[in-house]
Amino acid sequence: MAPISLKWDQDSLLENKFVRDEDERPKVPYNQFSTEIPVISLEGINDGEGAGSRRAEICEKIVKAFEDWGIFQVVDHGVDARLLSEMTRLAREFFQMPTEEKVRFDMSGGKKGGYIVSSHLQGEAVQDWREIVTFFSYPLKARDYSVGLISPKSGEQLLRNIARHMDQKVVVNHYPKCPQPDLTLGLKRHTDPGTITLLLQDQVGGLQATRDGGESWITVQPIEGAFVVNLGDHGHYLSNGRFKNADHQAVVNSNTSRLSIATFQNPAPDAIVYPLKVNEGDKPIMEEAITFMEMYKKKMSKDLELARLKKLAKDKKENLEKEKPIENIFA
Ligand SMILES: O=C(O)CCC(=O)C(=O)O
Ligand SMILES: [Fe+2]
């Protein structure tokens, strides 16, 4: 893929390609934090099992959080804080490099993973205000060290603490500060496709969630060292819809850049996706069992179709508006 050159220009107005339709623009400021998303401590999770145990109590909180928002924050998770701050430091160092340097790590030459400016779905008219680095961490055969960004050793402890038997992808998101943050999004509204996502965010703020289809939004309060845990589409299907797939987006601001590191736990591409259990009297939310790859493709084509219909409607409206003066003349 040819590198797209882009200046994150602070002084100028926002380029048109980043301007969102009014209905998609941020409704709540990046730093107006809500405490609605529960914070769950894993302290004592291994001290016994069964009714009344600390483990049972934690499980209950997680179930409730997934039924409610599909999101919670986890603290006392046991991942070394020094490791997390080192990851963050290295990521910041990378994004501070000039664009010419960064694009040397792009995905050209068939590399799996690497640097991308403003990833967005093909066919979408508006771009996200972000740059990312992707690294495929599991299965081991998916790792491509020729990407040149991440040494085989770094992050190992973090990875050891999270699902090993699934596919795993790490995406480092960098959102440069933005001259007109009210008109754009760092990352447009979406649900993550996989089972579960762990997100490490800095203290700036910008992750937002909705549970009424985008009518109202809350900004997740950043907590030092915590992971935001998002349930993805696969998790939603597994639970036959009982658990919500977190509906979220990232907004940007004009004061400071923001960094977040997302670790996506996904089923293997050929894994079968179907609810684990369907309670008596309930209907399964999936018509048939499909592979994760099929599920992912369906989602992507649905998103593209929605974007296409939206663009069509917009073009039609603009054309009608252009015609109006003529109608007025003949009225
Ligand atoms: O940067 C954030 O807060 C959100 C990132 C995210 O949702 C993603 O990478 O899928
Ligand atoms: Fe996400």
Side-chain angles (χ1 to χ4, degrees):
M1 192 177 72
I4 315 159
S5 77
L6 188 93
K7 287 197 303 289
W8 303 104
D9 201 335
Q10 299 314 312
D11 305 320
S12 61
L13 294 179
L14 197 65
E15 270 182 76
N16 231 346
K17 65 180 177 188
F18 294 110
V19 176
R20 294 265 162 205
D21 289 348
E22 255 164 68
D23 61 330
E24 290 186 3
R25 292 180 195 167
K27 293 194 168 82
V28 178
Y30 77 101
N31 57 358
Q32 183 185 309
F33 300 131
S34 158
T35 50
E36 277 209 53
I37 301 296
V39 180
I40 302 177
S41 163
L42 295 192
E43 183 91 60
I45 190 163
N46 292 321
D47 303 346
E49 286 181 37
S53 67
R54 176 75 188 120
R55 190 184 187 86
E57 191 190 325
I58 294 169
C59 286
E60 208 175 289
K61 284 188 181 157
I62 293 176
V63 165
K64 203 167 164 299
F66 278 162
E67 285 176 341
D68 212 8
W69 281 97
I71 308 182
F72 65 91
Q73 300 206 59
V74 65
V75 293
D76 306 317
H77 43 60
V79 182
D80 188 345
R82 280 167 307 181
L83 185 78
L84 299 181
S85 60
E86 185 65 358
M87 258 169 70
T88 306
R89 188 184 66 77
L90 291 171
R92 282 203 180 284
E93 223 168 72
F94 175 81
F95 288 112
Q96 272 162 12
M97 296 197 302
T99 306
E100 311 82 74
E101 283 293 309
K102 287 186 278 195
V103 295
R104 284 183 31 225
F105 300 97
D106 73 2
M107 294 208 203
S108 58
K111 282 199 289 285
K112 201 161 159 40
Y115 175 71
I116 314 175
V117 177
S118 191
S119 88
H120 64 113
L121 288 171
Q122 263 179 351
E124 268 194 77
V126 185
Q127 292 189 17
D128 289 330
W129 186 264
R130 70 164 179 167
E131 47 182 347
I132 67 172
V133 169
T134 302
F135 183 71
F136 292 85
S137 38
Y138 284 97
L140 290 172
K141 66 175 188 323
R143 289 190 189 180
D144 185 348
Y145 295 122
S146 76
V147 170
L149 285 163
I150 303 171
S151 83
K153 282 223 94 40
S154 76
E156 202 139 298
Q157 192 171 342
L158 171 70
L159 303 179
R160 234 184 287 132
N161 279 278
I162 37 194
R164 252 179 301 180
H165 305 292
M166 305 177 79
D167 283 8
Q168 188 186 62
K169 182 174 91 165
V170 181
V171 176
V172 186
N173 297 297
H174 180 248
Y175 307 96
K177 64 179 175 178
C178 176
Q180 292 185 295
D182 296 344
L183 301 183
T184 192
L185 289 172
L187 174 54
K188 69 171 273 189
R189 182 181 159 201
H190 66 284
T191 58
D192 296 341
T195 318
I196 229 172
T197 307
L198 299 183
L199 186 84
L200 181 73
Q201 63 164 333
D202 63 17
Q203 297 303 292
V204 174
L207 171 64
Q208 301 192 328
T210 177
R211 47 176 181 179
D212 56 14
E215 273 299 302
S216 62
W217 290 88
I218 56 126
T219 309
V220 177
Q221 163 98 58
I223 297 175
E224 187 79 50
F227 289 111
V228 179
V229 183
N230 281 342
L231 199 81
D233 299 339
H234 179 237
H236 174 72
Y237 288 128
L238 279 187
S239 68
N240 201 35
R242 175 174 170 191
F243 294 167
K244 290 198 180 120
N245 37 354
D247 196 349
H248 61 289
Q249 66 182 16
V251 299
V252 293
N253 73 88
S254 57
N255 298 320
T256 175
S257 66
R258 172 171 179 262
L259 190 84
S260 73
I261 304 176
T263 306
F264 300 94
Q265 271 62 236
N266 295 337
D270 59 354
I272 301 296
V273 180
Y274 198 73
L276 286 173
K277 180 170 171 247
V278 180
N279 290 330
E280 236 181 82
D282 285 354
K283 254 182 72 166
I285 62 166
M286 296 180 73
E287 278 164 26
E288 52 173 354
I290 52 175
T291 65
F292 179 64
M293 182 53 82
E294 285 166 331
M295 194 206 101
Y296 184 76
K297 282 191 179 151
K298 259 192 191 171
K299 175 194 178 77
M300 291 325 243
S301 55
K302 204 165 128 199
D303 284 0
L304 277 179
E305 182 60 10
L306 283 177
R308 197 184 66 83
L309 289 175
K310 190 157 186 203
K311 190 165 183 309
L312 267 180
K314 194 179 161 194
D315 290 350
K316 202 168 156 192
K317 191 168 157 243
E318 274 168 10
N319 283 337
L320 277 178
E321 270 161 15
K322 267 187 221 141
E323 283 166 20
K324 258 194 198 137
I326 304 171
E327 281 168 12
N328 290 347
I329 293 167
F330 290 102

